[in-house]
């Protein structure tokens, strides 16, 4: 029988982030506490730009955006938001969406699988993802449960289970 396998990836659907951003913009335009503050959220190239006339207001925009991401099933570990910066009279926060597993993080995950997972499991780094294979599907499910129990500083998804 051939080996069973799955891939460990860290991906974010751009459309879901776009939807969360649009919902946040709509809520900002309708909420009373944001009226007349120049509060806005928008794409700025590959980054997300949040602007308001006060540091607490721009943090509130970030909070609203984070809640919209959670509702859309996007892990906050993939959101990398900077600190509020004063730019003229406006406060700004730049945030980016992190995708892909770095080589160092992939090696850490592979080491955990080797050290704590069942015997006979193979983990190979393939670009920005990790392929895990074994003869036993039960062992693969054990590895998924093991990794879900760990707290990584990046989001993980398990795809191509076959």
């Amino acid at each position: 029988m051939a080996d069973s396998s799955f891939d460990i990836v860290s991906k974010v659907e751009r459309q879901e982030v776009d939807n969360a951003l649009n919902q946040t913009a709509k809520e900002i335009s309708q909420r009373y506490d944001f009226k007349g503050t120049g509060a806005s959220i928008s794409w700025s190239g590959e980054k997300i730009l949040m602007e308001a006339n006060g540091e607490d207001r721009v943090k509130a925009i970030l909070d609203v955006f984070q809640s919209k991401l959670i509702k859309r099933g996007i892990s906050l570990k993939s959101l990398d938001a900077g600190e509020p910066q004063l730019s003229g009279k406006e406060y700004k926060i730049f945030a980016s969406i992190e995708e892909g597993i770095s080589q160092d993080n992939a090696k850490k995950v592979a080491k955990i699988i080797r050290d704590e997972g069942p015997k006979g499991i193979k983990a190979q780094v393939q670009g920005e993802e990790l392929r895990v294979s074994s003869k036993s599907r039960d062992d693969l499910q054990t590895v998924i449960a093991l990794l879900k129990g760990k707290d990584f500083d990046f989001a993980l998804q398990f795809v191509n289970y076959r």
Side-chain angles (χ1 to χ4, degrees):
M1 188 173 119
D3 281 2
S4 300
S5 68
F6 67 89
D7 295 333
I8 301 172
V9 297
S10 181
K11 291 185 178 168
V12 176
E13 273 194 54
R14 173 83 178 208
Q15 184 62 48
E16 290 296 332
V17 175
D18 215 25
N19 290 342
L21 188 134
N22 291 335
Q23 286 179 338
T24 304
K26 185 174 181 183
E27 184 170 323
I28 289 169
S29 70
Q30 293 174 345
R31 267 178 48 177
Y32 179 75
D33 57 335
F34 287 118
K35 292 273 189 242
T37 62
S40 68
I41 182 170
S42 62
W43 285 104
S44 174
E46 283 296 307
K47 293 191 178 279
I48 298 164
L49 171 64
M50 293 164 252
E51 297 177 292
N53 65 0
E55 186 175 353
D56 56 334
R57 291 252 164 68
V58 79
K59 285 182 177 177
I61 294 171
L62 177 61
D63 191 47
V64 171
F65 183 56
Q66 287 175 334
S67 70
K68 299 298 181 191
L69 287 174
I70 290 170
K71 285 182 182 173
R72 296 211 148 272
I74 298 171
S75 172
L76 291 183
K77 292 178 182 179
S78 59
L79 179 70
D80 182 23
E83 290 299 312
Q85 302 167 338
L86 186 59
S87 172
K89 294 182 178 179
E90 297 264 306
Y91 279 90
K92 296 181 178 186
I93 293 179
F94 286 98
S96 61
I97 302 296
E98 302 290 322
E99 287 193 298
I101 302 174
S102 70
Q103 291 291 325
D104 292 342
N105 288 336
K107 288 177 183 174
K108 285 180 195 171
V109 173
K111 183 171 177 12
I112 289 172
I113 292 170
R114 271 195 314 275
D115 294 347
E116 300 177 30
K119 300 294 175 227
I121 294 274
K122 295 188 281 293
Q124 305 143 313
V125 178
Q126 297 180 333
E128 292 188 336
E129 57 185 46
L130 194 69
R131 164 80 40 94
V132 180
S133 57
S134 171
K135 293 195 182 311
S136 165
R137 285 182 168 226
D138 291 341
D139 287 351
L140 292 179
Q141 290 177 346
T142 304
V143 169
I144 290 174
L146 168 75
L147 294 177
K148 282 185 177 177
K150 298 285 181 191
D151 186 31
F152 295 105
D153 55 351
F154 53 95
L156 290 180
Q157 292 90 31
F158 306 100
V159 296
N160 296 339
Y161 186 83
R162 44 180 106 103

